[in-house]
Structure formats: structure tokens, C-alpha cells
Amino acid sequence: MKPFLFKINALAKNILILIQPHVILSFLIQPFAFFAHFLSLTKWIAQQPTKGVYKDAFSLFRNYEHRYDLYNYVINREQLKNAEIIYIEMGVCGGGSFKWWMENNQHAQSQFHGFDTFEGLPENWGYFFKNGDMHAAVPELADSRGHFYKGLFQDTLVPFLTTSNIKEKRKVIHLDADLFSSTLFSLSMLYPYLQKGDIIFFDEFNVPNHEYLAYKIFTESFYVNLELMGSVNNYYQAAFIVK
Ligand SMILES: C[S@@+](CC[C@H](N)C(=O)[O-])C[C@H]1O[C@@H](n2cnc3c(N)ncnc32)[C@H](O)[C@@H]1O
């Protein structure tokens, strides 16, 4: 029976390739993909443990200030205020979150590395944000522990990783690039440097076709166990610890 079904499966696929259904149905690609990833996201949310995991109250509207509650929760739980950390931020823009972490970790040996084109998003992000949106001047820093790397992650991250000594140190990685491509690229390149106890924040986690999808593909393809530490704004911002 199995070999027969196998043949039928191949036959059906070959016929579909021959008739090229996309010619009339390609308008379905986006909505179907969005819907599939949205279902996957809500299923994932339903599977998350609630015990020992920080979560703000459900709210119909997003409050961006709540992300600082999540940062504070993680920094206190993991006693990071006075610990030596390597903070890596993918997507710096004006430096809001970058500066928060520098102010809230005072260890003299901590390092803060921020990556951005500073010329805005390299591609459209959904319907609302266009290529070039979010451009900002490279932020001024009075603290010499901070460094910025201007350019596409695809050009700047690997040279940084191969010349720095970050593997053995505790890392806090902040993924705030919004885009699927940028987030998946960052996670994939950072993978060899990850170790147990490293922390990964997503700033737009519950966007089905972008950060959530990058998280899903990364964890499933690299067999990485990321345990949820907390979330705010109905999983818009989420923090994980590498297990
Ligand atoms: C939402 S903003 C970052 C916000 C910032 N972390 C904050 O808290 O204010 C996203 C940034 O990601 C950057 N970005 C996205 N993809 C990128 C890529 N592939 N290479 C470099 N920068 C990228 C954009 O230029 C943009 O400035």
C-alpha cells in the first residue's frame, strides 16, 4: 500500500508542477502563509507554561513601556545588574533599548555591541513600514563600553563574531530588527556562539511572518531549546533563555 501511495503522491505533485497553478492562484500565497503562521503562533502561545514565567495583563492595546518591565524582570531574576555581560543588539535605530541596557548594567568589563544600517530597514516590513523607514543617526555614547557597527548585518555580523572573544561570556542578545530575514540571519550566525544561560529578547515576537517565523525556523532547524522567561504586550516582546 505504501509504495502505491508514494507513487500517487509523486504523480500528483508532478501534474501540479506541469499545470503551474500559481498562474491563477499566486494571490493566495501571502494570505495562506500569514494564516498558517498565525495559527502556529496561537498554538505555540497556548502551549507555553505560565508558572515561573513573567507576563503582563492582557490588554487590547500595546504599551511599549511594558518592555522595560520585561527587561527589569530578566535583569533581576538573572542578577545581571552587576554581572559581566556581552550585550548584542541587532537593530539599534535611535538607541532607546541599547542605552537602557548600558545604564542598567554597570559592570566595567561588560561590552555592548549594536548593529544597524542606520539607514533604515533594508526591505519593506509588512504593509506599514517601507524600505528605508526607521533611519536614524548613529547614537552618541558617553560610555566607552559601547560600540556600533554600521551596515547590513549580512556584512557586519560575521566579521565581528570571528574577531571577538564572546563565546565563553554570558550574552544578552536583543533581536530588534523586525524583519524575518534579519532575525533569522542573526540567529543563525550567532548559533555557534550560544551557550546555556544566554538570554535572547525578541522585540516584535508575535508578528507571524517575521520574528515568530524566524524563531520557529531557527529552533526547529538548529535543535536549540529556548525556554520562555517572560513576555509583555501579548507576546509582542518576549525573552528566552538558552537551555
Ligand atoms: C525597530 S528598529 C530598532 C529599535 C531600537 N532597538 C530601539 O529600541 O529603539 C529596527 C532597526 O533594525 C535595522 N535593521 C533591520 N534589518 C537590518 C539589517 N539586515 N541590517 C542592518 N540593520 C537592520 C533597521 O535599520 C532599524 O533601525
Side-chain angles (χ1 to χ4, degrees):
M1 189 63 178
K2 250 189 179 171
F4 174 71
L5 289 177
F6 196 67
K7 270 195 171 169
I8 293 290
N9 178 49
L11 174 73
K13 193 197 286 174
N14 288 336
I15 291 173
L16 282 172
I17 287 173
L18 180 72
I19 62 175
Q20 301 201 328
H22 71 274
V23 173
I24 47 169
L25 296 178
S26 62
F27 71 95
L28 292 175
I29 294 172
Q30 265 302 102
F32 275 30
F34 179 82
F35 196 55
H37 299 145
F38 199 88
L39 290 180
S40 166
L41 170 69
T42 58
K43 186 175 172 193
W44 179 90
I45 289 173
Q47 289 167 342
Q48 294 314 299
T50 47
K51 225 173 146 196
V53 175
Y54 180 81
K55 197 164 172 243
D56 61 351
F58 175 84
S59 162
L60 285 177
F61 296 101
R62 200 173 292 148
N63 181 342
Y64 224 64
E65 293 303 304
H66 285 188
R67 71 176 179 162
Y68 299 107
D69 298 339
L70 181 61
Y71 299 172
N72 271 317
Y73 169 78
V74 170
I75 221 168
N76 289 330
R77 185 183 123 168
E78 297 298 311
Q79 300 180 346
L80 297 177
K81 262 198 167 100
N82 299 308
E84 180 182 348
I85 59 164
I86 307 284
Y87 178 79
I88 297 175
E89 186 165 280
M90 306 308 295
V92 174
C93 198
S97 46
F98 194 89
K99 287 180 181 165
W100 189 97
W101 279 93
M102 288 198 86
E103 279 159 22
N104 285 275
N105 176 285
Q106 288 298 327
H107 195 286
Q109 307 307 322
S110 288
Q111 301 170 31
F112 299 81
H113 302 282
F115 296 79
D116 205 300
T117 59
F118 295 107
E119 290 168 4
L121 294 170
E123 55 186 91
N124 296 346
W125 178 41
Y127 299 105
F128 300 112
F129 295 92
K130 301 292 170 212
N131 185 335
D133 283 357
M134 305 187 197
H135 59 272
V138 182
E140 302 274 343
L141 291 178
D143 187 333
S144 63
R145 298 175 304 159
H147 308 275
F148 292 122
Y149 305 82
K150 182 173 160 51
L152 280 171
F153 302 163
Q154 287 80 349
D155 297 327
T156 56
L157 184 57
V158 172
F160 162 77
L161 290 171
T162 48
T163 55
S164 62
N165 188 14
I166 62 162
K167 185 155 184 174
E168 310 304 326
K169 306 215 169 142
R170 184 119 197 241
K171 288 174 285 302
V172 175
I173 296 164
H174 188 196
L175 300 168
D176 194 1
D178 306 341
L179 298 167
F180 165 75
S181 58
S182 304
T183 310
L184 184 60
F185 174 81
S186 301
L187 283 167
S188 306
M189 295 303 116
L190 287 162
Y191 167 74
Y193 302 87
L194 290 180
Q195 55 175 15
K196 280 193 173 61
D198 286 346
I199 292 161
I200 304 183
F201 284 89
F202 291 79
D203 202 64
E204 278 76 24
F205 183 76
N206 76 8
V207 181
N209 280 349
H210 286 278
E211 290 188 15
Y212 170 70
L213 185 59
Y215 158 88
K216 182 173 156 58
I217 291 179
F218 172 70
T219 50
E220 290 175 359
S221 311
F222 288 75
Y223 301 143
V224 173
N225 183 7
L226 296 184
E227 186 180 282
L228 184 68
M229 300 175 84
S231 67
V232 289
N233 287 315
N234 308 324
Y235 295 88
Y236 199 63
Q237 281 93 17
F240 296 84
I241 187 160
V242 177
K243 282 289 169 180

